[in-house]
Amino acid sequence: MQTGRGFPATRGDPNRMERGFPVLAGNGSGMERRQTTIFMEDPTENLINENEEQTQQPTRDAEVLQQQDAGTGAQANGTTDAQVDGINNTETFEATDAQADGTNRRLTSVVWNHFKKAKIEGVDKAICNYCGKKLSGKSKNGTTHLRDHYNICMARKNKDIRQTILNPRQEKKDGPVSLGTHTFDQNVSMSELAKMIVLHEYPINMVEHIGFRNFVNSVNPLFKHVSRTTIKSDIKRIYDIQKTKIKKIMSANQGRVAVTTDMWTASNQKRGYMVVTAHYIDDSWNLCNKILRFMYVPAPHNAKTLTKALMECLVAWSIDCKLSTLTLDNCSVNIAMMEKMKDKLKSDKLLLNGELLHMKCCAHILNLIVQQGLGAIQSRVESIRDSVVYWTATPKRVETFENAKDGLSLSSKRKLVLDCKTRWNSTYLMLMSAIVYKDVFNRLVHIDKNYKQPPTNQDWHLANVMCEKLKLFYSVTEMFSGVKYPTANIFFPKICEIRLLLKECLISPYVEIKEMATNMISKFDQYWSLIHGILAIATILDPRFKMKLIEYYFPQIYGHESPKEIDRIRKLTYDLVK
């Protein structure tokens, strides 16, 4: 009888040979003959065991069959070897771990490839290699319970050797789709679920909804459902991991960090929150921005309270000594806060000892300038706004308006948009959507008897002229609001274009446009009579402009004072690069 990696000797028919590996084992009192044969799939033969006339036909996975001679001690103690799912039919196994009871008997079942046998407090235990669970390891208990645990162990990655599932992945909405193999992992699925809830702002308790659970069961029944408390803990854990990662990135970054911050009041809670965002250029010259904090700020929201909250955030992220600028809305509280921030920050760690620290939000200033101008033509705007309000008030009126529009065969598909009085760009969009339907409003007077005062032709004409003037403000506001490209270098030429446009409006034939331009220029000079140094420097460093653009625009803005302003900007640039 051969005991190595070969074929066993056969009895009877010399042409009969079993494909397998025999194992001889002894129990101390005598030698028992025990043979375990691992069969490999062969569709052309019927494999006959020595002690049985016919075995089961092999399946697509390897089957582990155990035969024992009648009357042996191995049969008496009830030892069995079980089939373990997921074993490739081209592999063979021969366990080599000795039993913990000190005998010479070898562990022959392939299930022992996934368990370790150990003696704990004098009791034989089988320890799972994946989850560490301790199961009975006594010989009399067999291995069926070990096989059952192997099949349901959640710590073991579920790999199907018969067929691999292709898993398409897309990192971005418009990004490329890549194909990879799928392996189910409970921890990975939990992490992706938590990220999904954060990304799309889903309610945390959705994981307990019966519809969601039924859907997950249909996709992958192996997923173990969790409670909202567990998913909440996972979200906090992801936040801590991401915070640590971003801290390492920002601490390794050698450049400076520009910070923007703003206050927001939740309408349903009446509580104030501060958001702090960091903008920086990484080592690969990519513009990056990260939200550092979205935190509750207790009342009162005065300069002292805001300074404390912002300073704690900067220190926690270790960027208080790497600041370039702080950008805030232009209000009295923020101006007072910046004075306190300069006292708390180390001036020698700031650009030009903090001279360039405070940056007023350009988009907010544009909003204030346009609001100042719209006040002069408020009556004309109100006439159009009232009509928009009337025809968007109820579903029936919206339907009536749509029918009247279809009757005139207008090609525009725009819908009427009602503005927010505190945001001028929404007023601009409202006027643009309404001007297209000038004839529709006039027609509706004959359809609805309650609609009696549509805008006059003069109102429409003035609104059309005003929209032409505000078009530049709208495009510049959108440009200033960009987050995926630098905006400091485009500020100066656009602001100069706006200033020259307002200068042209002063000679308009419409009294209302003249009054609007006058109000806007007064507001413009109040905020931008002195160009912020960092914005002028960014323009100079742009290879398309350099000093030529400043030398071209400054005389048109400052007149005879332009040489003095040009020298100031030039000196500021020299001081910054010293």
Side-chain angles (χ1 to χ4, degrees):
M1 183 68 70
Q2 191 175 0
T3 59
R5 287 187 175 269
F7 297 106
T10 59
R11 287 179 285 182
D13 186 359
N15 297 323
R16 178 172 174 264
M17 184 182 299
E18 293 181 2
R19 299 186 180 183
F21 301 90
V23 178
L24 297 181
N27 61 0
S29 60
M31 181 66 70
E32 291 182 327
R33 183 176 176 278
R34 178 184 174 199
Q35 178 171 330
T36 300
T37 305
I38 300 179
F39 289 97
M40 294 182 291
E41 185 177 356
D42 188 347
T44 64
E45 297 185 32
N46 289 326
L47 300 178
I48 309 300
N49 188 270
E50 290 185 0
N51 301 314
E52 298 177 358
E53 291 184 358
Q54 185 174 1
T55 63
Q56 296 178 354
Q57 181 68 20
T59 61
R60 61 181 179 273
D61 290 329
E63 293 184 357
V64 182
L65 302 178
Q66 177 184 28
Q67 288 89 22
Q68 299 174 345
D69 291 336
T72 62
Q75 187 179 24
N77 62 23
T79 302
T80 61
D81 289 327
Q83 173 188 353
V84 180
D85 295 339
I87 305 301
N88 192 298
N89 59 9
T90 62
E91 295 178 346
T92 58
F93 297 90
E94 186 173 10
T96 58
D97 294 335
Q99 285 187 337
D101 57 5
T103 66
N104 294 326
R105 177 175 296 174
R106 293 179 178 272
L107 305 176
T108 59
S109 174
V110 291
V111 78
W112 289 107
N113 287 288
H114 309 283
F115 291 86
K116 293 179 182 178
K117 195 164 187 180
K119 190 178 288 291
I120 300 177
E121 296 181 357
V123 180
D124 291 338
K125 293 292 184 180
I127 304 175
C128 178
N129 292 343
Y130 307 104
C131 66
K133 186 174 182 179
K134 299 178 181 63
L135 303 172
S136 175
K138 294 182 179 181
S139 300
K140 66 179 182 180
N141 293 334
T143 57
T144 302
H145 65 296
L146 302 182
R147 177 202 61 191
D148 293 339
H149 174 77
Y150 172 83
N151 290 333
I152 65 172
C153 181
M154 298 303 296
R156 176 179 66 87
K157 291 185 177 180
N158 181 42
K159 294 184 179 179
D160 188 348
I161 64 171
R162 294 165 293 182
Q163 182 180 7
T164 299
I165 300 175
L166 291 179
N167 180 28
R169 296 184 63 86
Q170 190 175 19
E171 298 296 333
K172 297 181 180 179
K173 182 178 180 180
D174 300 325
V177 178
S178 59
L179 290 177
T181 57
H182 170 71
T183 300
F184 173 73
D185 189 305
Q186 176 75 11
N187 294 330
V188 172
S189 298
M190 285 281 294
S191 178
E192 291 298 326
L193 175 59
K195 290 177 182 177
M196 179 191 72
I197 291 174
V198 173
L199 181 64
H200 300 291
E201 299 180 359
Y202 293 142
I204 294 178
N205 63 350
M206 71 171 291
V207 298
E208 298 177 348
H209 295 172
I210 186 64
F212 174 78
R213 294 195 168 190
N214 289 339
F215 168 74
V216 172
N217 287 338
S218 68
V219 174
N220 193 337
L222 294 177
F223 182 78
K224 185 178 179 181
H225 295 287
V226 296
S227 65
R228 56 183 172 183
T229 304
T230 302
I231 204 67
K232 182 179 179 180
S233 301
D234 285 351
I235 292 174
K236 290 182 178 179
R237 178 181 54 81
I238 292 175
Y239 170 78
D240 292 335
I241 293 173
Q242 291 297 322
K243 182 178 180 180
T244 303
K245 186 185 299 184
I246 295 175
K247 273 189 173 182
K248 290 181 179 179
I249 293 174
M250 299 191 70
S251 62
N253 182 47
Q254 300 299 316
R256 289 186 174 269
V257 179
V259 173
T260 58
T261 181
D262 196 10
M263 288 294 298
W264 170 75
T265 302
S267 57
N268 59 332
Q269 297 178 342
K270 303 301 181 182
R271 304 180 72 182
Y273 295 87
M274 174 185 286
V275 60
V276 181
T277 308
H279 309 262
Y280 63 94
I281 298 175
D282 63 14
D283 295 336
S284 300
W285 290 93
N286 296 316
L287 179 62
C288 306
N289 58 83
K290 305 291 184 183
I291 297 178
L292 304 184
R293 290 290 301 275
F294 192 98
M295 53 186 171
Y296 165 67
V297 180
H301 296 156
N302 52 30
K304 182 179 179 180
T305 304
L306 298 182
T307 301
K308 180 182 178 182
L310 181 58
M311 195 65 196
E312 288 177 353
C313 177
L314 298 180
V315 173
W317 286 86
S318 302
I319 58 175
D320 53 311
C321 296
K322 301 172 65 175
L323 285 177
S324 60
T325 59
L326 275 173
T327 303
L328 310 96
D329 282 349
N330 192 72
C331 62
S332 57
V333 175
N334 286 340
I335 293 174
M337 182 185 74
M338 285 306 304
E339 294 300 322
K340 293 182 178 295
M341 289 293 297
K342 289 180 181 180
D343 294 337
K344 291 183 176 294
L345 295 170
K346 297 179 181 179
S347 60
D348 58 333
K349 300 293 183 180
L350 303 175
L351 293 175
L352 298 180
N353 295 322
E355 182 179 345
L356 304 176
L357 179 63
H358 186 195
M359 173 73 71
K360 298 176 182 178
C361 178
C362 299
H364 183 249
I365 293 177
L366 274 180
N367 181 63
L368 296 177
I369 291 173
V370 179
Q371 289 288 0
Q372 183 80 3
L374 290 177
I377 55 173
Q378 192 64 32
S379 59
R380 304 290 186 181
V381 175
E382 283 294 339
S383 174
I384 298 176
R385 180 184 288 118
D386 291 342
S387 293
V388 174
V389 169
Y390 183 86
W391 289 110
T392 58
T394 64
K396 182 173 179 58
R397 290 179 183 177
V398 172
E399 184 177 352
T400 303
F401 185 88
E402 291 294 326
N403 292 335
K405 182 178 69 174
D406 294 339
L408 294 176
S409 301
L410 296 176
S411 59
S412 177
K413 300 297 182 181
R414 286 184 178 181
K415 292 186 177 294
L416 293 178
V417 179
L418 186 61
D419 69 331
C420 173
K421 292 185 178 181
T422 59
R423 296 189 178 275
W424 78 267
N425 53 339
S426 66
T427 303
Y428 169 79
L429 294 175
M430 180 192 71
L431 294 176
M432 290 295 293
S433 66
I435 288 173
V436 180
Y437 301 121
K438 169 186 173 182
D439 295 335
V440 177
F441 285 102
N442 292 332
R443 186 182 184 187
L444 287 169
V445 176
H446 306 290
I447 297 176
D448 190 338
K449 62 180 181 180
N450 294 322
Y451 180 59
K452 300 178 180 179
Q453 293 183 338
T456 64
N457 290 333
Q458 188 176 4
D459 292 336
W460 290 118
H461 186 68
L462 188 60
N464 195 33
V465 173
M466 185 177 63
C467 285
E468 287 295 324
K469 302 301 182 182
L470 294 179
K471 186 176 182 180
L472 177 61
F473 286 86
Y474 182 77
S475 63
V476 172
T477 299
E478 283 194 324
M479 193 176 297
F480 284 172
S481 303
V483 295
K484 295 184 178 180
Y485 52 85
T487 55
N489 61 314
I490 63 176
F491 161 82
F492 182 74
K494 293 302 178 182
I495 290 302
C496 290
E497 289 181 25
I498 289 176
R499 183 63 177 82
L500 296 179
L501 174 66
L502 294 178
K503 190 176 181 179
E504 292 178 3
C505 291
L506 291 176
I507 56 176
S508 172
Y510 300 97
V511 177
E512 294 87 352
I513 298 296
K514 286 183 180 180
E515 186 177 356
M516 180 185 75
T518 302
N519 293 342
M520 294 172 75
I521 288 176
S522 64
K523 205 71 170 179
F524 184 98
D525 293 339
Q526 178 182 346
Y527 291 114
W528 283 328
S529 59
L530 191 65
I531 298 296
H532 193 283
I534 202 72
L535 300 174
I537 292 172
T539 304
I540 295 172
L541 295 179
D542 192 322
R544 299 171 298 175
F545 306 138
K546 299 185 178 180
M547 284 294 297
K548 293 182 180 179
L549 192 70
I550 290 180
E551 292 171 349
Y552 172 77
Y553 275 123
F554 268 34
Q556 300 182 57
I557 296 176
Y558 295 106
H560 64 278
E561 295 289 334
S562 60
K564 180 180 178 181
E565 288 299 316
I566 292 174
D567 290 340
R568 181 181 71 86
I569 298 299
R570 181 180 285 109
K571 183 178 181 303
L572 195 62
T573 305
Y574 291 155
D575 292 340
L576 187 63
V577 298
K578 279 183 180 180

